[in-house]
Amino acid sequence: MADNKKYKVEVRVWIEETEGAFLGIGKIWLLENIQKTGSITNAAKEMKMAYRQAWQLVEEMNQRAEIPLVEKLLGGKGGGGAKLTEAGEKAITVFYEIEKRIKEFAEKETQNLKLNL
């Protein structure tokens, strides 16, 4: 008889534009950490990522987005920082909404898979 292997449909979500992958979970986590810490430097540290890599990802997202997602703040007494624009906050929300719907679909397909295998 059939063995008891459990199959599961898994998906990984990213948003593409003409130049390829634009926004995936890694960049979403970076945006969330910038939002939380108020700084690209601290967001990078939180993710155990080199500052240079975080900076490049932010620059890339800002250049490829219709509206920049991260706004750099000029230094003052407390130094500079960064914050998400309204577009950056919306990007996080939209990404998670899409991911949730796709994962729900994958879960339904997993149920169908068990019936067919």
Side-chain angles (χ1 to χ4, degrees), residues 76-112:
K77 242 185 190 180
K83 71 174 195 167
L84 297 191
T85 63
E86 202 173 302
E89 291 174 4
K90 186 175 181 183
I92 292 170
T93 302
V94 167
F95 181 87
Y96 282 129
E97 285 172 357
I98 292 168
E99 183 185 56
K100 181 178 183 272
R101 288 195 304 268
I102 291 171
K103 286 188 172 187
E104 286 170 354
F105 176 78
E107 182 58 38
K108 286 178 190 158
E109 290 302 305
T110 294
Q111 298 307 316
N112 292 337

Side-chain angles (χ1 to χ4, degrees), residues 6-11 103-117:
K6 300 248 183 203
Y7 297 99
K8 185 174 181 184
V9 176
E10 282 292 337
V11 293
K103 286 188 172 187
E104 286 170 354
F105 176 78
E107 182 58 38
K108 286 178 190 158
E109 290 302 305
T110 294
Q111 298 307 316
N112 292 337
L113 193 63
K114 289 175 184 170
L115 298 175
N116 294 324
L117 291 180

Side-chain angles (χ1 to χ4, degrees), residues 36-103:
K36 185 171 85 174
T37 65
S39 145
I40 296 171
T41 302
N42 291 335
K45 283 180 189 170
E46 188 107 349
M47 298 177 73
K48 297 178 178 30
M49 175 188 290
Y51 169 77
R52 180 176 165 79
Q53 183 184 4
W55 174 257
Q56 287 173 334
L57 290 171
V58 167
E59 284 294 298
E60 178 190 317
M61 284 187 282
N62 278 347
Q63 287 170 6
R64 292 171 66 190
E66 291 178 12
I67 301 167
L69 305 183
V70 178
E71 180 178 70
K72 290 158 241 147
L73 305 173
L74 295 176
K77 242 185 190 180
K83 71 174 195 167
L84 297 191
T85 63
E86 202 173 302
E89 291 174 4
K90 186 175 181 183
I92 292 170
T93 302
V94 167
F95 181 87
Y96 282 129
E97 285 172 357
I98 292 168
E99 183 185 56
K100 181 178 183 272
R101 288 195 304 268
I102 291 171
K103 286 188 172 187

